[in-house]
Amino acid sequence: MMKLVRIYIYIITVALLLGGCSVSKFIPEGQYLLDEVHISSDNKEIKSSEMYSYVRQKPNSKWFSLVKLPMYIYCASGKDSTKWINKILRKMGDAPRIYDADVAEETRLQILGAVQNKGYLGAQVSLEERTKKNKLDTYYKISSGRPYVVSSMKYNIEDYVIRGLLMKDSVSSNLKEGMVFNVNVLEDERNRITQYLLNRGFYRFNKDYITFHADTVGGTYQIDLTMNIALSDRTEGNLVPLHRQYKIRSVNYLMDMDNVPAVTSALSSDTVRYDGINILYDKELFLRPGVISSHNRIVPGKLYSNRDVMATYSSLSRLGILKYSNIRFAEHVENDSAYLDAFVSLSRNKNKMLSFQIEGTNSAGDLGAAASVTYTHRNLFKGSETFNIKVRGAYEAVTGLEGYANNNYTEYGVESSLEFPEFMFPFLKSDFKKSVNANSQVSAKYNWQIRPEFERTLASAAWSYRWNSRKRASHRLDVLDINYIYMPYRSNTFIEYLNYMDEINPLLRYSYEDLFIVRLGYTYTYNSAGVSTQQTAKKSSYSIRFNIEESGNLIYGFSKLIHKRPSDGESFRMGNISFAQYVKADLDYAKNIMIDERNSLVFHIGTGIAVPYGNSKSLPFEKLYFSGGANSVRGWSVRSLGPGRYGGAAGSLDYVNHTGDIKLDLNVEYRTHLFWKLNGAAFIDAGNVWTLKRRYSDSTGQFAFNRFYKEIAVSYGLGVRFDLDFLIIRFDGGMKAINPMGKGKYRFPVIIPDFSRDFAFHFAVGYPF
């Protein structure tokens, strides 16, 4: 690995040297390389950063906003473009941007227009060129002057129905007397009014009917503004009609049918009428009428609403049995009334699917393989219910365990789930079910792990809901999640290890006993950009995730009613098996700041606390926090950091000790686009985990306000990411900077770095936060 890194550094250094020497050969005589573009403003209301989007010719991109390495790579190529090495270098690199004075003038005019649109009609933008050898910098200076203000606001709306609606909704208008005259605000108002009317029956209305007339008052900076809404297009009789307000006459669902009937009277004999809608099918009605009705938002008798159309599209898109949906309307005019017949075409997807998956595993150097078979049915009960059943087997060659020879790890598992595309809960009104896009899921899982040290069986069953309250916010409610952990076998060597660890960590044994976990939880997630960590955000954004869960309280209450004290004097039992009792809360916040279209800076903080109480001395092992790994402090491998300054013990089972009840992660990451679909990152991570109770013979690992900040580990590193649009494949390499487990000078590896000791490599899918 070290050798490979040195080779990369050597290649980059050579590219910089060669490219730096040969940039001039790609600059024609008498022309200049566009080196930098600067924009300044004398008005804080006009942000220079916003004006860079109007720059028509931009300088070559920089890696991490520092070095124009892509340009140097391009310039390292020779002039013979037919040679394969030159083709590769030019494809990887970025051709030098030669300054174009005409394009610069276009940029000046674009910036001037943008400033004037903000109300500074007398603004001026100057362009200055500064050269140094064969490079050129441009300087755009904005002198805004005084803004023009709307002194009076008038409305010229000839359609009396539209005029009445807009006057009633005047409080929502973006236009006010005394406001700065801003063309962007006028455009926003056009869009607002258009959407407002489209949601109130005006099917044919568009924003081209809305215009503004601005008169400047001579000698002042005031404007008299008039908004005009024109009447509808002229008819053959040269009369100017009012805008028609359409009402929904009928709603027709076409099941796997391409032809839209001209009128509803042409409905075929294979027609079902349900809840006011017509359902037409040719051979088979593959969805129950009640399911179609529950996902329909277009109601006969109501005024046309574009919002209802979009809501119908959104609701139907959650039905896995549908390949696509399409909504069309047919207009009908009777006397002075206008009607719409809605035709919703639904195309069916494949019902059943069988998939195979083979994967390789590497756990701390132990190689293995796993295979799984998954069967999916997308329409089990003709309600687009998705049924999944997955069978999985895994094998891993385990080495390095003391007291064992030629023993390996095997795992067998089966899991099944059934998902409904609605809120499946009794006594809920249909209006409420339609108001949220919800999914309900029940699942069951069985897993059998056979290790040299022990055998463990995990059985679980869950009942949960997921729904969206807004476009960017999602909720998950785990109403019931039952987990049963049973250990039928523990080897003598493993039992001896647990006995030995009782002196160091008395709570470790608790993680390897039979246990019931009966939990409920709630998770809230919000992302202002509406993307996940599997995608790249294109604008500045932030995300929040909050989770809270509890376990055992209901069972504990029943146990206390029946028995005042536990039978064994330690914990209550259910079916002679202890059950876990705890409460756990997590909070994650990430802020993505776009520096420009190629560079961004991301900050992240993640924290959590879990408190065992009542029936539990410690959290179940699966619920404990750990630090290190691809999404935490990347200078450490997964489950190898903490708690606190705990230094670890010999043996491959020591990962069970690197856990805690409190977690803190602090991360900052600079992301940059390199070339093609390749992105780079430089990061600094900090964090650790701690225990609430004293776990070891001394206070090592236990959280204390007066010293926890001294036990925060810090790492730094670089990463490479392949952005496949729908998926991010990530490689990160981290180095330890501050090691709370080290002593003396070894506490600060950043001063005396050792690659073999301090480096950790990570492969992951998606961004870390």
Side-chain angles (χ1 to χ4, degrees):
M1 178 62 70
M2 189 63 183
K3 184 177 180 181
L4 186 61
V5 171
R6 288 173 178 169
I7 292 174
Y8 285 152
I9 294 174
Y10 175 76
I11 291 174
I12 291 173
T13 303
V14 171
L16 285 170
L17 292 175
L18 293 178
C21 296
S22 40
V23 172
S24 57
K25 69 183 179 184
F26 290 95
I27 303 176
E29 186 176 352
Q31 298 189 41
Y32 298 92
L33 172 71
L34 180 60
D35 195 37
E36 297 287 349
V37 173
H38 306 271
I39 301 176
S40 60
S41 172
D42 63 354
N43 189 335
K44 64 180 181 180
E45 299 296 328
I46 302 174
K47 297 179 180 179
S48 301
S49 57
E50 296 178 355
M51 295 297 122
Y52 279 99
S53 61
Y54 299 99
V55 175
R56 303 293 299 274
Q57 185 183 31
K58 297 181 179 181
N60 290 91
S61 60
K62 295 180 179 180
W63 282 14
F64 301 104
S65 295
L66 296 174
V67 183
K68 296 182 179 180
L69 188 57
M71 184 188 70
Y72 294 134
I73 293 175
Y74 182 98
C75 293
S77 66
K79 288 193 173 183
D80 188 355
S81 60
T82 61
K83 292 185 177 180
W84 66 271
I85 185 63
N86 293 337
K87 289 181 179 179
I88 292 176
L89 290 173
R90 293 188 180 189
K91 190 173 183 179
M92 291 175 57
D94 184 19
R97 309 287 172 84
I98 306 302
Y99 175 69
D100 189 323
D102 293 335
V103 176
E105 176 61 18
E106 290 180 14
T107 296
R108 189 190 70 81
L109 295 176
Q110 290 273 348
I111 295 174
L112 177 61
V115 174
Q116 290 176 338
N117 285 343
K118 288 179 173 289
Y120 298 89
L121 303 182
Q124 293 183 350
V125 178
S126 64
L127 169 61
E128 181 183 353
E129 303 169 350
R130 298 180 186 176
T131 60
K132 185 177 181 181
K133 296 184 178 179
N134 58 357
K135 297 180 180 180
L136 184 144
D137 291 353
T138 57
Y139 292 81
Y140 297 93
K141 296 182 179 179
I142 302 171
S143 299
S144 63
R146 286 180 58 183
Y148 280 70
V149 176
V150 176
S151 59
S152 67
M153 184 72 218
K154 298 178 182 178
Y155 298 90
N156 180 25
I157 307 172
E158 297 183 55
D159 189 305
Y160 63 89
V161 177
I162 291 178
R163 182 169 61 248
L165 288 172
L166 295 185
M167 292 302 102
K168 288 181 181 179
D169 191 53
S170 59
V171 69
S172 301
S173 176
N174 297 312
L175 307 180
K176 309 290 182 184
E177 291 185 357
M179 63 172 277
V180 173
F181 177 75
N182 191 325
V183 174
N184 300 317
V185 175
L186 302 187
E187 183 64 20
D188 291 341
E189 181 69 3
R190 292 178 75 202
N191 293 327
R192 186 195 69 82
I193 291 175
T194 301
Q195 289 302 315
Y196 180 79
L197 295 177
L198 284 174
N199 291 326
R200 282 156 182 81
F202 294 91
Y203 171 68
R204 284 289 183 182
F205 195 88
N206 64 73
K207 69 177 184 179
D208 291 338
Y209 288 114
I210 306 173
T211 59
F212 291 95
H213 182 75
D215 283 332
T216 57
V217 180
T220 69
Y221 287 86
Q222 295 183 344
I223 286 180
D224 294 332
L225 185 64
T226 303
M227 183 178 73
N228 304 287
I229 298 183
L231 290 174
S232 184
D233 297 332
R234 294 181 178 273
T235 61
E236 293 181 0
N238 277 337
L239 296 177
V240 183
L242 300 174
H243 291 276
R244 287 196 177 101
Q245 205 169 12
Y246 289 80
K247 185 177 289 188
I248 302 297
R249 187 174 70 169
S250 67
V251 179
N252 309 280
Y253 275 78
L254 314 179
M255 315 298 287
D256 257 348
M257 298 172 62
D258 295 328
N259 296 324
V260 179
V263 292
T264 54
S265 60
L267 302 182
S268 68
S269 58
D270 294 330
T271 303
V272 174
R273 185 165 180 83
Y274 184 91
D275 199 16
I277 62 176
N278 302 310
I279 304 172
L280 293 76
Y281 61 97
D282 189 11
K283 298 179 181 178
E284 177 189 5
L285 185 59
F286 62 88
L287 279 174
R288 300 194 309 272
V291 174
I292 297 173
S293 175
S294 66
H295 287 80
N296 174 63
R297 305 292 185 265
I298 307 172
V299 181
K302 285 183 59 178
L303 289 174
Y304 166 83
S305 171
N306 189 61
R307 185 186 297 113
D308 291 343
V309 176
M310 294 298 103
T312 302
Y313 270 122
S314 176
S315 188
L316 292 173
S317 68
R318 298 186 301 109
L319 300 180
I321 188 60
L322 297 182
K323 185 185 298 183
Y324 66 85
S325 59
N326 184 39
I327 302 175
R328 287 171 284 180
F329 292 92
E331 299 179 49
H332 297 274
V333 179
E334 298 177 3
N335 299 324
D336 292 331
S337 300
Y339 299 95
L340 292 174
D341 291 331
F343 295 93
V344 186
S345 302
L346 303 182
S347 178
R348 176 168 34 176
N349 210 339
K350 291 183 179 179
N351 275 14
K352 304 170 186 177
M353 183 174 66
L354 189 66
S355 62
F356 301 88
Q357 184 176 1
I358 299 176
E359 58 188 275
T361 61
N362 185 346
S363 302
D366 294 335
L367 301 178
S372 62
V373 180
T374 303
Y375 170 77
T376 302
H377 196 301
R378 292 192 177 98
N379 199 30
L380 190 63
F381 304 121
K382 290 192 174 182
S384 194
E385 303 89 354
T386 301
F387 172 74
N388 279 291
I389 184 168
K390 178 180 179 181
V391 179
R392 184 179 186 273
Y395 171 85
E396 188 174 283
V398 178
T399 59
L401 287 179
E402 299 177 3
Y404 302 91
N406 300 322
N407 284 293
N408 298 305
Y409 167 75
T410 54
E411 178 184 344
Y412 307 97
V414 58
E415 56 185 281
S416 180
S417 66
L418 179 60
E419 186 172 299
F420 301 86
E422 61 178 322
F423 241 123
M424 296 295 291
F425 197 85
F427 314 119
L428 288 179
K429 295 182 178 180
S430 59
D431 290 341
F432 172 78
K433 291 183 178 181
K434 287 186 176 183
S435 65
V436 293
N437 291 331
N439 286 324
S440 309
Q441 186 183 73
V442 291
S443 62
K445 180 179 180 180
Y446 179 83
N447 184 267
W448 182 24
Q449 301 172 358
I450 306 172
R451 289 187 61 90
E453 315 97 303
F454 57 81
E455 291 184 22
R456 180 159 61 173
T457 298
L458 296 93
S460 66
W463 172 19
S464 64
Y465 298 100
R466 297 192 308 273
W467 72 95
N468 300 325
S469 59
R470 292 184 292 173
K471 183 182 292 186
R472 297 176 177 86
S474 63
H475 308 259
R476 179 186 174 98
L477 176 64
D478 295 303
V479 178
L480 187 63
D481 187 357
I482 303 174
N483 292 268
Y484 171 53
I485 302 171
Y486 174 58
M487 301 198 65
Y489 165 76
R490 290 180 294 183
S491 69
N492 293 330
T493 305
F494 187 64
I495 293 174
E496 291 175 2
Y497 173 78
L498 292 178
N499 292 335
Y500 163 74
M501 290 302 296
D502 272 345
E503 302 177 3
I504 303 174
N505 181 4
L507 298 179
L508 177 62
R509 183 184 295 275
Y510 182 76
S511 300
Y512 290 92
E513 293 180 348
D514 299 343
L515 186 66
F516 263 119
I517 304 174
V518 183
R519 62 174 287 273
L520 64 89
Y522 168 75
T523 302
Y524 171 82
T525 305
Y526 178 82
N527 190 303
S528 63
V531 301
S532 69
T533 56
Q534 308 294 321
Q535 300 171 301
T536 301
K538 302 298 183 182
K539 60 181 181 179
S540 295
S541 59
Y542 68 93
S543 64
I544 298 173
R545 190 189 70 85
F546 171 73
N547 174 74
I548 186 168
E549 62 180 82
E550 68 83 25
S551 174
N553 288 331
L554 189 61
I555 303 175
Y556 185 80
F558 283 126
S559 300
K560 289 285 285 185
L561 287 175
I562 300 172
H563 305 287
K564 291 186 177 181
R565 292 183 177 85
S567 57
D568 61 358
E570 293 187 0
S571 61
F572 290 101
R573 294 176 176 268
M574 185 175 65
N576 204 32
I577 299 175
S578 295
F579 57 87
Q581 190 176 12
Y582 66 87
V583 63
K584 181 179 182 182
D586 308 281
L587 178 65
D588 274 88
Y589 174 81
K591 175 69 174 177
N592 176 48
I593 302 173
M594 295 298 298
I595 300 172
D596 54 42
E597 60 184 10
R598 302 176 65 94
N599 299 277
S600 64
L601 190 62
V602 186
F603 299 91
H604 169 258
I605 179 171
T607 184
I609 183 170
V611 182
Y613 60 95
N615 214 53
S616 297
K617 295 179 181 178
S618 172
L619 288 171
F621 179 74
E622 288 79 7
K623 298 298 179 180
L624 288 165
Y625 294 110
F626 63 88
S627 193
N631 299 325
S632 182
V633 187
R634 284 166 279 186
W636 280 259
S637 57
V638 64
R639 298 183 186 272
S640 64
L641 173 60
R645 61 180 187 276
Y646 173 70
S652 60
L653 289 173
D654 191 52
Y655 68 89
V656 298
N657 288 313
H658 292 290
T659 54
D661 309 308
I662 300 174
K663 181 177 181 178
L664 176 65
D665 276 332
L666 303 168
N667 312 85
V668 59
E669 184 169 279
Y670 193 106
R671 297 171 182 170
T672 188
H673 176 68
L674 302 180
F675 52 85
W676 188 50
K677 293 185 178 294
L678 201 63
N679 297 326
F683 56 83
I684 299 175
D685 302 325
N688 207 331
V689 293
W690 294 268
T691 62
L692 284 172
K693 298 179 181 179
R694 188 168 178 171
R695 181 185 289 183
Y696 308 104
S697 56
D698 58 14
S699 60
T700 299
Q702 187 176 9
F703 182 85
F705 279 104
N706 61 349
R707 69 164 186 271
F708 84 93
Y709 59 91
K710 300 177 183 178
E711 298 169 345
I712 294 177
V714 180
S715 67
Y716 60 95
L718 298 173
V720 175
R721 291 86 193 274
F722 289 93
D723 189 346
L724 305 178
D725 297 328
F726 62 92
L727 188 69
I728 303 291
I729 300 176
R730 174 164 57 97
F731 301 92
D732 286 335
M735 288 285 290
K736 298 177 179 65
I738 299 177
N739 186 357
M741 300 178 287
K743 296 180 180 179
K745 63 181 181 179
Y746 297 105
R747 177 176 168 79
F748 302 98
V750 67
I751 300 174
I752 48 170
D754 185 326
F755 193 84
S756 60
R757 179 196 64 199
D758 301 326
F759 180 77
F761 176 77
H762 307 281
F763 166 74
V765 174
Y767 284 115
F769 37 81

